[in-house]
Amino acid sequence: MLAQKQAEEAIVVSNFTETEHDQGKEAEETQLDNESVLSVKNLLWHGGSAWDAWFSCASNQVAQVLLTLPYSFSQLGMLSGIILQIFYGLLGSWTAYLISVLYVEYRSRKEKENVSFKNHVIQWFEVLDGLLGPYWKAVGLAFNCTFLLFGSVIQLIACASNIYYINDNLDKRTWTYIFGACCATTVFIPSFHNYRIWSFLGLGMTTYTAWYLTIAAAVHGQKEGVVHSGPKKLVLYFTGATNILYTFGGHAVTVEIMHAMWKPQKFKYIYLMATLYVFTLTLPSAASVYWAFGDELLNHSNAFSLLPKSGWRDAAVILMLIHQFITFGFACTPLYFVWEKVIGMHDTRSICLRALARLPVVIPIWFLAIIFPFFGPINSAVGALLVTFTVYIIPALAHMLTYRKASARQNAAEKPPPFLPSWTAMYVLNIFIVVWVFVVGFGFGGWASMTNFVRQVDTFGLFAKCYQCKPPSPTGTGTAPPLHH
């Protein structure tokens, strides 16, 4: 009996190694719960449930983009703004679903080969490598890392832009130096397991900010002589459209969020649920601010700049600053993982050693935020040139190529969803996404956003000390640039 019991225990241990994120994580959590039901570490630090993933996805989708969506509505007009939000939100949810399917496929194939992922975080470029080969790995790595790099840059620029509305004694470039140092502390957060409390708080902060914008605009009422003339120009229209495309493009961290789950198979519809909640924040706030201020938003890409100063607004600014710190960590953590793997530090257990190794990642982000302090235009440029491929085109193409053979479809770890049970229907939808996003998002959107971006550089120059700040008291005949944010 003793020998039989030992043999059963050995089998259990073997199964734990092979299925770390399923039985293994459940067993680990059960053990931790037995040790301390109210353990602070479990409550605040060690997250991997479906709820944790939902909070991470929803919190990561809406950050500083909340403040630029009214600006996008002024470029697009009310009707196009609402329709494109819903359209790209649903499109983004579908491609997040494709990414989750490909992750499960990759993981199931590797587990059949007895590959262990202990102390290793699977990333999107590794999924592409395992399913489609090294060329796809290179493409995925290039687009993902560049997208995350500029996503982190945007957070720093947004921090400086927002704090300026509370304290304009320092210029925005100085605030960028300060917040760059603050955001560098994210090197101490090991992985997405450890964002449980931050994701929860971050979503609460954006929820407050979104409803503050909605209510404050309604209380303010329509400005006298308000005009809603959008859309007026193709450049503005497609710039606004690509900013909305960027809004629902948080997929660069999807695989890392899945990998942090105890049961990644449950992720399939989490992104859609997160997007539906995000609609309740983005649609009312963007529509109400645009209704109140109209075309004036064309020269104010940050909605805070038009709302009257008050304690409520200052609270929203502070909460958004904290959330942008969290979002900076979300965007940078996958970059930290890539860098750790390059220098051979990914398996290191010491948090301090890993933090020290990660610091070189923060420095170029800090530098780029100082070179290009263009908040709204960068959102659109990143959306058109990077999000189009990273979030929409590459996942759709990868899914079609992975299941192009009948044997692959027959042995697929995840079958087509109940609402679209045919492989042919999935192929038709994926082809539509590739063509639409390439032509409209990358083509027209790339042309419009880069045209707008170049105009900002020509007007304000690189290394702008205080991009589109309040102009100083006129002492000459020069014309001050328009207020923006």
Side-chain angles (χ1 to χ4, degrees):
M1 290 297 291
L2 180 61
Q4 182 180 356
K5 185 176 180 181
Q6 289 174 339
E8 289 173 352
E9 289 175 350
I11 292 172
V12 170
V13 171
S14 174
N15 288 339
F16 170 78
T17 303
E18 292 177 358
T19 57
E20 175 189 356
H21 276 68
D22 295 331
Q23 293 98 339
K25 285 300 179 184
E26 280 187 330
E28 181 183 339
E29 286 304 299
T30 303
Q31 181 182 354
L32 289 168
D33 288 342
N34 290 338
E35 290 174 2
S36 174
V37 176
L38 297 177
S39 167
V40 174
K41 181 179 179 181
N42 285 339
L43 183 63
L44 304 180
W45 188 250
H46 193 72
S49 68
W51 278 107
D52 288 307
W54 182 85
F55 277 114
S56 293
C57 289
S59 177
N60 189 48
Q61 269 195 49
V62 284
Q64 92 295 334
V65 77
L66 264 179
L67 310 176
T68 62
L69 283 175
Y71 168 61
S72 297
F73 270 46
S74 71
Q75 298 170 317
L76 294 163
M78 185 75 79
L79 182 61
S80 288
I82 293 172
I83 291 173
L84 285 175
Q85 271 206 48
I86 296 171
F87 176 69
Y88 281 123
L90 295 178
L91 231 60
S93 298
W94 173 252
T95 52
Y97 169 80
L98 297 180
I99 291 172
S100 72
V101 168
L102 293 173
Y103 170 89
V104 171
E105 181 70 36
Y106 169 76
R107 186 165 183 106
S108 65
R109 291 185 186 182
K110 289 299 180 182
E111 285 178 349
K112 288 176 184 176
E113 299 171 5
N114 295 320
V115 175
S116 173
F117 294 104
K118 190 175 182 180
N119 298 328
H120 181 93
V121 177
I122 297 173
Q123 295 187 266
W124 177 229
F125 68 89
E126 293 169 319
V127 173
L128 291 173
D129 184 28
L131 297 177
L132 296 172
Y135 292 110
W136 278 86
K137 173 186 176 180
V139 171
L141 186 62
F143 274 104
N144 232 39
C145 288
T146 310
F147 172 33
L148 290 168
L149 179 74
F150 279 98
S152 304
V153 169
I154 288 168
Q155 300 311 316
L156 281 188
I157 298 170
C159 284
S161 173
N162 289 340
I163 193 63
Y164 188 76
Y165 295 116
I166 293 180
N167 185 338
D168 58 4
N169 293 325
L170 298 177
D171 59 74
K172 290 181 183 177
R173 187 166 67 190
T174 303
W175 280 120
T176 304
Y177 292 141
I178 294 169
F179 279 100
C182 294
C183 289
T185 59
T186 57
V187 298
F188 289 100
I189 302 177
S191 74
F192 282 99
H193 275 302
N194 315 117
Y195 273 97
R196 164 175 278 185
I197 188 62
W198 293 114
S199 298
F200 177 77
L201 291 175
L203 190 57
M205 293 166 186
T206 49
T207 299
Y208 170 88
T209 303
W211 285 106
Y212 157 73
L213 292 173
T214 304
I215 296 168
V219 170
H220 180 278
Q222 283 193 315
K223 192 166 183 179
E224 186 177 351
V226 67
V227 177
H228 301 87
S229 62
K232 292 196 299 185
K233 297 179 180 178
L234 280 178
V235 169
L236 293 179
Y237 187 87
F238 285 108
T239 300
T242 50
N243 187 41
I244 291 180
L245 180 145
Y246 170 83
T247 302
F248 298 97
H251 303 44
V253 296
T254 298
V255 171
E256 288 83 358
I257 291 173
M258 281 188 70
H259 191 84
M261 294 177 69
W262 303 320
K263 291 190 174 182
Q265 293 85 351
K266 289 186 176 182
F267 185 87
K268 287 185 290 186
Y269 304 119
I270 285 175
Y271 199 91
L272 175 61
M273 296 300 106
T275 299
L276 294 178
Y277 179 79
V278 167
F279 283 153
T280 70
L281 305 181
T282 58
L283 288 170
S285 60
S288 59
V289 175
Y290 177 55
W291 168 81
F293 297 101
D295 285 2
E296 195 174 352
L297 282 158
L298 289 170
N299 293 320
H300 297 78
S301 68
N302 190 321
F304 281 147
S305 63
L306 289 174
L307 293 166
K309 184 175 175 62
S310 68
W312 297 102
R313 193 192 76 165
D314 288 351
V317 171
I318 292 168
L319 291 178
M320 283 303 290
L321 286 171
I322 299 171
H323 185 262
Q324 280 153 356
F325 164 82
I326 298 167
T327 309
F328 182 92
F330 266 111
C332 262
T333 298
L335 292 175
Y336 296 153
F337 292 156
V338 172
W339 178 246
E340 287 170 358
K341 292 170 184 177
V342 168
I343 63 174
M345 293 286 287
H346 190 58
D347 295 334
T348 304
R349 289 300 191 109
S350 169
I351 291 178
C352 291
L353 277 177
R354 289 180 72 183
L356 191 63
R358 290 171 168 188
L359 276 176
V361 176
V362 180
I363 294 170
I365 294 169
W366 206 349
F367 189 61
L368 286 169
I370 294 164
I371 298 177
F372 304 109
F374 314 126
F375 182 22
I378 281 189
N379 276 6
S380 298
V382 169
L385 304 180
L386 299 173
V387 175
T388 47
F389 285 92
T390 304
V391 172
Y392 300 96
I393 294 174
I394 291 176
L397 284 175
H399 188 272
M400 289 191 289
L401 291 174
T402 298
Y403 297 108
R404 64 189 182 278
K405 295 181 180 177
S407 58
R409 295 192 294 273
Q410 186 176 356
N411 299 317
E414 293 282 347
K415 301 300 180 184
F419 59 86
L420 200 68
S422 163
W423 284 101
T424 302
M426 291 187 74
Y427 266 74
V428 170
L429 179 56
N430 287 339
I431 290 170
F432 167 76
I433 290 172
V434 171
V435 173
W436 174 276
V437 174
F438 184 79
V439 174
V440 177
F442 177 72
F444 289 108
W447 160 73
S449 60
M450 290 311 298
T451 300
N452 190 31
F453 186 81
V454 170
R455 284 176 184 169
Q456 303 303 316
V457 174
D458 289 342
T459 304
F460 298 97
L462 303 178
F463 295 98
K465 187 173 184 179
C466 203
Y467 168 63
Q468 294 183 334
C469 297
K470 296 174 183 177
S473 300
T475 54
T477 58
T479 302
L483 270 175
H484 203 279
H485 58 90

